[in-house]
Amino acid sequence: MLLFAKCMCCLANQQGRLIEQLEDEEKKAAFMKEVMTLIGTSGSEYNAPGITALITEIREKYFGKDQGIAQMKREFNQLLLQMEKELEQKIHESPEPLREALRFARIGNYIDFSAVENVTEEEFMELFHREGDQIDDIEYNCLCKELKEAASLVYIVDNCGEVVIDKIVIRKLKELYPELKITAMVRGKDALNDATMEDAEMIGLTKEVPVVTNNSSIQGVVFSELTDEVREILDRADLILAKGQGNFESLHGCGKNIYYLFLCKCELFSERFQVERFHGMFVNEKRVRI
């Protein structure tokens, strides 16, 4: 997906918010000039997740790593681990457990420090009680049909916290399709609050299925960054389930059989899909039109 004008403005504004409370105005100005130069000179091969990874390197050069993000990641992982049994019970009681698990996993996509300015537990919990937030019938039926015939699936996770619900989805897939070989993918390096191998181990995902990484700090999947082994896993997968807007931005147009599950978190996505902000999407790479 291309780096649109609104994406460029959003990226710059996001960095302004991240450094707003810092006191060294000269350093802040130098940082923002470098950020805007990077955005302004980026080639057509760059999308928002790729640029964000480069901007993070620049920010850490000026200001060091943000330790507050690491703490918030741990807090949301712990919050969802505390909710795990309750969520599993609700899913188990649903007439369509897999569908409900996917819906819950999509709600979990709200935990995004790059797109949601102030992520609070209260706002997040309210989303589980929102009416009318259902998984698309057509795509869900297509997914179920393909799952019956598939031999392998790659589940690309997104953020911390929500990765606990992804684990529940994977458990449900294993239960319903015991012959299906499932591999999960996380980020290879720190990428704001995206889930890494450390998070996968912390919440127990590595005990459920093999876990690989995207081999970078990009908030998405860029094939040139992958190891040969992981690229082959994706190439051979019958199905790919990709969580989060960043994975859609980086993968859309690749032509693989990908089901995207995410919340529309920005004005551009809301306009392109003609929905309100935080509306849930469940679309397939081969059928989506934007």
Side-chain angles (χ1 to χ4, degrees):
M1 188 170 163
L2 298 175
L3 188 66
F4 295 94
K6 285 189 176 180
C7 299
M8 298 179 192
C9 294
C10 183
L11 288 168
N13 290 334
Q14 178 190 107
Q15 297 308 311
R17 291 194 301 270
L18 287 173
I19 65 170
E20 189 173 14
Q21 302 302 318
L22 302 178
E23 296 182 357
D24 192 329
E25 290 297 332
E26 287 190 10
K27 186 183 289 188
K28 287 161 64 175
F31 164 67
M32 288 305 299
K33 286 179 181 179
E34 195 165 339
V35 167
M36 288 186 280
T37 298
L38 172 64
I39 294 172
T41 58
S42 60
S44 59
E45 71 276 16
Y46 285 101
N47 52 36
I51 288 288
T52 299
L54 297 177
I55 290 174
T56 299
E57 292 179 7
I58 297 172
R59 190 176 65 252
E60 290 179 353
K61 178 182 71 174
Y62 279 90
F63 307 109
K65 286 185 176 293
D66 187 341
Q67 299 303 319
I69 289 178
Q71 176 63 26
M72 289 186 74
K73 286 180 67 175
R74 288 191 291 271
E75 289 175 0
F76 272 98
N77 280 337
Q78 289 292 348
L79 172 66
L80 269 296
L81 284 171
Q82 292 169 11
M83 295 173 62
E84 184 176 354
K85 289 184 178 180
E86 178 186 352
L87 292 176
E88 274 198 301
Q89 183 62 31
K90 289 183 177 181
I91 288 167
H92 177 72
E93 294 171 354
S94 170
E96 296 181 280
L98 177 59
R99 187 174 191 147
E100 187 74 343
L102 290 169
R103 188 177 76 86
F104 280 13
R106 187 173 64 188
I107 291 171
N109 192 233
Y110 178 79
I111 308 172
D112 185 347
F113 300 163
S114 65
V116 182
E117 189 168 346
N118 294 299
V119 178
T120 67
E121 292 183 16
E122 293 77 14
E123 290 176 335
F124 173 62
M125 298 296 289
E126 286 178 6
L127 294 177
F128 284 95
H129 305 290
R130 188 167 61 179
E131 296 287 338
D133 183 25
Q134 299 303 315
I135 295 293
D136 182 83
D137 286 334
I138 294 175
E139 292 303 344
Y140 179 71
N141 290 334
C142 287
L143 173 65
C144 291
K145 181 179 179 181
E146 292 194 68
L147 282 168
K148 293 177 182 178
E149 303 169 354
S152 60
L153 178 147
V154 175
Y155 193 114
I156 306 174
V157 307
D158 191 24
N159 298 319
C160 68
E162 74 173 283
V163 69
V164 175
I165 317 179
D166 296 327
K167 180 180 68 174
I168 297 174
V169 176
I170 287 172
R171 281 180 182 158
K172 185 55 61 177
L173 288 169
K174 289 169 61 178
E175 175 188 327
L176 295 173
Y177 307 96
E179 301 302 316
L180 183 66
K181 181 180 179 181
I182 303 173
T183 303
M185 179 184 288
V186 297
R187 308 304 186 218
K189 302 174 185 176
D190 288 337
L192 282 178
N193 70 309
D194 282 16
T196 62
M197 190 65 76
E198 180 181 0
D199 297 296
E201 292 171 351
M202 175 185 175
I203 63 94
L205 181 60
T206 52
K207 296 178 181 179
E208 299 288 341
V209 292
V211 180
V212 298
T213 83
N214 72 343
N215 201 42
S216 76
S217 60
I218 294 174
Q219 293 174 292
V221 178
V222 176
F223 284 91
S224 61
E225 296 284 336
L226 301 174
T227 64
D228 291 341
E229 178 185 4
V230 173
R231 191 181 301 115
E232 185 176 359
I233 291 172
L234 278 176
D235 287 341
R236 290 178 176 271
D238 296 310
L239 289 168
I240 300 171
L241 184 58
K243 289 288 303 298
Q245 193 172 288
N247 283 324
F248 181 89
E249 289 177 281
S250 60
L251 286 167
H252 177 55
C254 71
K256 296 186 181 300
N257 189 20
I258 307 176
Y259 286 84
Y260 298 101
L261 191 66
F262 61 92
L263 299 179
C264 285
K265 298 173 184 172
C266 68
E267 185 179 349
L268 175 65
F269 268 66
S270 293
E271 288 179 357
R272 301 201 70 165
F273 286 105
Q274 297 185 339
V275 297
E276 295 181 358
R277 193 180 183 206
F278 297 122
H279 182 85
M281 304 301 300
F282 184 54
V283 295
N284 182 271
E285 169 74 14
K286 297 179 179 179
R287 292 179 288 275
V288 65
R289 296 290 182 269
I290 58 171

